[in-house]
Amino acid sequence: MSGEMDKPLLSRRLVDSDGSLAAEVPNEAPKVGILGSGDFARSLATRLVGSGFSVVVGSRNPKRTAGLFPSAAQVTFQEEAVSSPQVIFVAVFREHYSSLCGLGDQLAGKILVDVSNPTEKEHFHHRQSNAEYLASLFPACTVVKAFNVVSAWALQAGPRDGNRQVLICSDQLEAKRTISEMARAMGFTPLDMGSLASAREVEAIPLRLLPSWKVPTLLALGLFVCFYAYNFIRDVLQPYVQGHENKFYKMPLSVVNTTLPCVAYVMLSLVYLPGVLAAALQLKRGTKYQRFPDWLDHWLQHRKQIGLLSFFFAVLHALYSFCLPLRRSHRYDLVNLAVKQVLANKSHLWVEEEVWRMEIYLSLGILALGMLSLLAVTSLPSIANSLNWKEFSFVQSTLGFVALMLSTLHTLTYGWTRAFKENHYKFYLPPTFTLTLFLPCVIILAKGLFLLPCLSRRLIRIRRGWEKDGAVKFMLPADHTQGEKTSHV
C-alpha cells in the first residue's frame, strides 16, 4: 500500500527565528509497535506511517502478512516487534490476549494501547472491560484505552472523512499525555475520559445503534401507522363498505402520500412545542434555576432528530406528489372526466376558486419545504460550526417558526372549505388535515401570547437571571429589545 499514505504528514524541518526554513536535520522517527495483522491493524499502520512514525508490526506469520502493510512498515515476529518501541498497540481480540503472556518480560514498563471492542454478548457477559482484563494480564505495563471508537475507514481516509475524536482513558497521566500527542500528530482530537475504570463505558459506545434517534424514530413510525390507519378507513374502507367501490389500489401510493405530510407537520410542531412548554414553566416558577422535568429535558435534547425526521417525511411527500400524475389510475380518471365533459356538452371547464387555491397551495408547500431544507442543512455539524450563536439561533428559531407558519398556511389552503362540508366526514370522521392543525395552532397562539409585553418582559428578565421572591432582582434596560437580542443565558 505505497502511495500518498506513506508520506509523512509532518515535515522534518526546523524554522529559524527569522521565519526562514533551516536545512533539514536528520531526526529518527518515533517508533511504534503494533501487535496484530487484521484490518484495523493495517489501517492503523497506514495512518501512523503517514503521520511520520516508524512502525513495527508483530505477526505470527510475517511472511504471509507483510504484503498487506505499507512498504515503510516493518513486519516481523511479535518478539522482535515489542523489543524497541515504547508504545505498543494491541490490535487483537480479547480471547487472544492470553497468547501474548509469553511477551510479559519484554512488555514490562511499556505502554499498551488497547484498541479492541467487545461484541454485545461479550460486553454483557464480562464484568471487566477488555482494557482492564489486559491490564490484569500485564500488571507491569501501563494500559491505555484509545482509538476503539475510530473506524478503520477513518484511519485510512483521514480524520476529514470520519470521526475526529479519540476517547482516551488510563490510570497513568503521563501515558494519556503520550497517546494524546500521538492522536494529534495523526490528525485526531484526543478526549480524556478519565481512569481505566471508564473503559467499559468507552467500549459500549460502538455497540450503540443511533441512541439519540431511537425515541424520535419510534415516534415518527407511531404517527405514520396511526395516520395511515386513519386515512385507510376514510379513503379505502368507507367507499368499499358504503358504496361497494374498490379503492384498495390507493394503498401503496395515494394513502401513503396523504399520510406523509401529516407526520411531517406534526413532527415539525413537536420541535417547537417543548420550547413553549419550557417558557410557560419558567413563567410559572418565576426562575430559570430549576431543572425541567426529565421528560421535557429529554424532549428538548431530541429536537434536532425530530426536525430532521420531519424534513425527511416532507421530502418523501414531495417525491410522492410528483409521482401522482404517473399513476395509471390518474390517467383513467382524466379520460373519464373528459368523456363526462363531452357527454355534458361542456366545452370549457374552469373553476376560478380551485385554480387560485391550487396555485397558492403549491407555492406555500414549496416555500415550506425550502425553509425545512435550510433548517436541515444548518443542523449539520460542519455548517453549524461555521455560524455564530446569533446566526444559528436565527435560523433554527426564527426561520423555523416561519417554516411552521408556512406549513400551517399550506395545510389550511389544502383544506379550504372541506372542514365545513358534510360529505367529507366519512364514517363521521373529520378530514385528516383538521387533526394535524390542532397542535401547530396551539403553538402559534402560545408564541403570540409570549409576545405580549406583560409576558415577554417577564420572560426576558427570568432568562437574564431574575427570580420571583428571590435575591436576584434588577430592572430591565429601557430598550428591552436590545437586551433580548444580546442575552442568551
Side-chain angles (χ1 to χ4, degrees), residues 45-63:
T46 302
R47 190 77 238 151
L48 287 169
V49 168
S51 302
F53 292 92
S54 176
V55 179
V56 183
V57 180
S59 174
R60 290 172 295 181
N61 193 338
K63 290 185 178 180

Side-chain angles (χ1 to χ4, degrees), residues 112-131:
L112 300 184
V113 183
D114 178 34
V115 300
S116 67
N117 282 315
T119 62
E120 191 169 352
K121 183 179 179 180
E122 291 173 342
H123 180 70
F124 290 106
H125 179 70
H126 299 295
R127 290 188 176 183
Q128 275 187 322
S129 65
N130 288 2

Side-chain angles (χ1 to χ4, degrees), residues 23-191:
E24 188 170 318
V25 178
N27 186 19
E28 185 179 355
K31 185 170 290 188
V32 179
I34 299 177
L35 292 177
S37 55
D39 295 335
F40 192 87
R42 294 196 295 270
S43 300
L44 182 61
T46 302
R47 190 77 238 151
L48 287 169
V49 168
S51 302
F53 292 92
S54 176
V55 179
V56 183
V57 180
S59 174
R60 290 172 295 181
N61 193 338
K63 290 185 178 180
R64 186 179 62 181
T65 58
L68 302 175
F69 286 85
S71 57
Q74 178 187 355
V75 182
T76 181
F77 290 100
Q78 294 179 343
E79 293 79 3
E80 299 177 13
V82 301
S83 59
S84 56
Q86 186 63 26
V87 178
I88 310 293
F89 284 87
V90 181
V92 298
F93 291 107
R94 178 187 178 119
E95 56 265 28
H96 301 308
Y97 285 174
S98 58
S99 65
L100 304 176
C101 291
L103 306 174
D105 294 337
Q106 294 173 277
L107 292 174
K110 299 190 177 184
I111 299 175
L112 300 184
V113 183
D114 178 34
V115 300
S116 67
N117 282 315
T119 62
E120 191 169 352
K121 183 179 179 180
E122 291 173 342
H123 180 70
F124 290 106
H125 179 70
H126 299 295
R127 290 188 176 183
Q128 275 187 322
S129 65
N130 288 2
E132 290 174 308
Y133 176 61
L134 183 65
S136 67
L137 294 178
F138 299 93
C141 301
T142 300
V143 175
V144 179
K145 187 70 183 184
F147 289 94
N148 68 302
V149 298
V150 180
S151 65
W153 164 253
L155 287 171
Q156 282 195 349
R160 294 175 299 176
D161 298 324
N163 184 15
R164 289 183 57 87
Q165 285 189 338
V166 174
L167 309 184
I168 300 174
C169 59
S170 176
D171 293 331
Q172 296 294 330
L173 184 61
E174 189 61 33
K176 285 195 290 186
R177 186 179 293 112
T178 300
I179 304 305
S180 296
E181 292 174 357
M182 290 185 62
R184 290 192 186 94
M186 296 165 68
F188 294 96
T189 303
L191 183 62

Side-chain angles (χ1 to χ4, degrees), residues 62-319:
K63 290 185 178 180
R64 186 179 62 181
T65 58
L68 302 175
F69 286 85
S71 57
Q74 178 187 355
V75 182
T76 181
F77 290 100
Q78 294 179 343
E79 293 79 3
E80 299 177 13
V82 301
S83 59
S84 56
Q86 186 63 26
V87 178
I88 310 293
F89 284 87
V90 181
V92 298
F93 291 107
R94 178 187 178 119
E95 56 265 28
H96 301 308
Y97 285 174
S98 58
S99 65
L100 304 176
C101 291
L103 306 174
D105 294 337
Q106 294 173 277
L107 292 174
K110 299 190 177 184
I111 299 175
L112 300 184
V113 183
D114 178 34
V115 300
S116 67
N117 282 315
T119 62
E120 191 169 352
K121 183 179 179 180
E122 291 173 342
H123 180 70
F124 290 106
H125 179 70
H126 299 295
R127 290 188 176 183
Q128 275 187 322
S129 65
N130 288 2
E132 290 174 308
Y133 176 61
L134 183 65
S136 67
L137 294 178
F138 299 93
C141 301
T142 300
V143 175
V144 179
K145 187 70 183 184
F147 289 94
N148 68 302
V149 298
V150 180
S151 65
W153 164 253
L155 287 171
Q156 282 195 349
R160 294 175 299 176
D161 298 324
N163 184 15
R164 289 183 57 87
Q165 285 189 338
V166 174
L167 309 184
I168 300 174
C169 59
S170 176
D171 293 331
Q172 296 294 330
L173 184 61
E174 189 61 33
K176 285 195 290 186
R177 186 179 293 112
T178 300
I179 304 305
S180 296
E181 292 174 357
M182 290 185 62
R184 290 192 186 94
M186 296 165 68
F188 294 96
T189 303
L191 183 62
D192 191 349
M193 297 297 292
S195 66
L196 199 62
S198 305
R200 183 171 177 82
E201 180 184 350
V202 173
E203 291 176 1
I205 294 176
L207 300 177
R208 301 169 186 166
L209 179 62
L210 303 175
S212 59
W213 288 85
K214 184 177 180 179
V215 174
T217 302
L218 291 176
L219 175 63
L221 291 177
L223 287 172
F224 182 85
V225 170
C226 292
F227 279 116
Y228 186 89
Y230 190 86
N231 290 322
F232 172 80
I233 293 173
R234 282 179 43 83
D235 299 339
V236 178
L237 195 59
Q238 188 269 345
Y240 181 77
V241 172
Q242 294 185 346
H244 301 287
E245 298 180 41
N246 187 356
K247 299 287 186 178
F248 288 92
Y249 66 88
K250 290 186 175 182
M251 292 176 59
L253 190 65
S254 181
V255 178
V256 172
N257 190 48
T258 308
T259 303
L260 290 173
C262 299
V263 179
Y265 190 32
V266 173
M267 293 288 284
L268 181 61
S269 305
L270 294 177
V271 173
Y272 297 97
L273 180 59
V276 172
L277 296 177
L281 201 58
Q282 287 179 337
L283 286 172
K284 180 183 178 181
R285 293 174 172 177
T287 179
K288 70 171 185 177
Y289 296 110
Q290 292 185 21
R291 285 183 56 86
F292 294 130
D294 290 339
W295 60 269
L296 182 57
D297 190 46
H298 292 154
W299 193 350
L300 289 167
Q301 294 176 14
H302 286 92
R303 286 182 295 177
K304 173 183 175 180
Q305 290 78 12
I306 295 174
L308 289 175
L309 286 173
S310 172
F311 172 69
F312 171 72
F313 280 95
V315 170
L316 286 182
H317 170 55
L319 295 176

